[in-house]
Each structure stands twice: as structure tokens, then as C-alpha cells.
Amino acid sequence: RVSVSYRVANGALTITYDAVSDQDTLCNLTNHSYFNLNGGGTALSHTLQILFFIVVVSFILNLLISYIGEDSLSTLLSSRPVLGPVIAGLVGLIPNCAASVVLTQLYLEGMINGGAMMAGLLAGAGVGLLVLFRVNENVKENLRIALLLYIIGVVSGILIETAGLTF
């Protein structure tokens, strides 16, 4: 059973998730609503811009995978416990949910190990990095935050690889 409640009070939107399962399971509920906080443009143009960005990034990633070759890429990333998390962490920094989908798909297809997948997922902040760079004018602080996300993700991925943990 899953429920979501939305509440607007004092100019703030609160989204509350609740999930109950009859078996142990992973559950990661999220919201993919995008808001144009600048007040300019239409919702349609904003949505089309986001869609275009996601399609372009996904196309480039798939083109890269096709060019390198799935088998070569799989061998390269899974045979080196440091390289996989380093590259996956970079993919995780791509600001949209497509990166996490690609990383999970690569893991499920056996092309990357669990540590690499976790490095990318932990480094990823979704659209949060775009919001950070758009709202916070301190670029150095924003870069430090993005670098910290990347380092935490990569180090965690390397530790998972070194420990031989699987999911």
C-alpha cells in the first residue's frame, strides 16, 4: 500500500509519502514535479526544455555505450574496482533522473558492479544541483558541494567494491 498526501500551508508545499509492504523490499519514493520558480515562461516550455535535456543526455550515453561496445565497457568497468566508481560517479552528477535509471540498468545487465552503481547513485543529486547553481550565486560553494557529493559517492563505491558486497 502506498499513499501520498499534499499539503499547502503558509506558502509551503509539503509532500508526505507512506508505504507498507507485506514483505521486506526496497522502497525509494520520490517526486519528479518541476516548478518554474522564476515565474517566466509557460509550464509547457519548461517541461519541453527538461524533456529535451533528458533525451539528449540519454542519447549521448547510449551512443557512447554503443561506440565503446557493451562487452568492452563491462570488462573495463567491472575488472577495475576504482575505475568503475570513478566513472559512475561522473555519470551520477548528470542533473536528471535519467542518470540513475542508466546506472541501475547497467547494473542489472551486469555491465557494472554494485560499487559502481552505488557511487553513481550516491553522487547524484538529480535536479538538485541545477537548483543549487541557479539559486545560490556562490559558484565556489556550489562546486565544493558537487565535489563533496562526488567524493562521497566514489569512496563509498570503492569501499563496496573492495569489500566484495553485492546486492
Side-chain angles (χ1 to χ4, degrees):
R1 180 183 62 81
V2 176
S3 66
V4 180
S5 64
Y6 298 86
R7 192 175 120 235
V8 178
N10 301 323
L13 170 65
T14 303
I15 304 171
T16 305
Y17 301 96
D18 184 47
V20 177
S21 174
D22 61 353
Q23 296 180 23
D24 289 343
T25 186
L26 296 174
C27 183
N28 185 13
L29 301 174
T30 187
N31 184 301
H32 288 282
S33 297
Y34 298 100
F35 300 97
N36 183 350
L37 301 177
N38 286 336
T42 66
L44 177 62
S45 67
H46 190 68
T47 301
L48 290 175
Q49 288 175 359
I50 293 168
L51 176 66
F52 177 75
F53 182 77
I54 291 171
V55 167
V56 168
V57 168
S58 298
F59 177 76
I60 290 170
L61 286 174
N62 283 317
L63 190 64
L64 184 64
I65 291 169
S66 296
Y67 178 74
I68 294 173
E70 289 183 14
D71 293 336
S72 299
L73 185 62
S74 177
T75 302
L76 177 70
L77 296 178
S78 62
S79 64
R80 295 179 173 87
V82 174
L83 184 61
V86 166
I87 292 174
L90 290 173
V91 172
L93 289 175
I94 296 171
N96 67 44
C97 59
S100 61
V101 171
V102 167
L103 288 166
T104 304
Q105 185 177 7
L106 291 174
Y107 172 74
L108 292 173
E109 292 175 1
M111 293 181 63
I112 61 174
N113 293 329
M117 177 189 66
M118 290 304 294
L121 294 176
L122 290 170
V127 186
L129 283 177
L130 288 179
V131 172
L132 177 69
F133 277 87
R134 178 93 184 220
V135 174
N136 187 10
E137 295 179 5
N138 187 338
V139 176
K140 286 183 180 180
E141 182 179 53
N142 297 343
L143 290 172
R144 283 194 302 267
I145 292 169
L147 181 62
L148 182 61
L149 278 172
Y150 177 74
I151 290 170
I152 289 170
V154 170
V155 168
S156 298
I158 292 170
L159 290 173
I160 289 169
E161 292 286 326
T162 304
L165 298 175
T166 57
F167 305 100

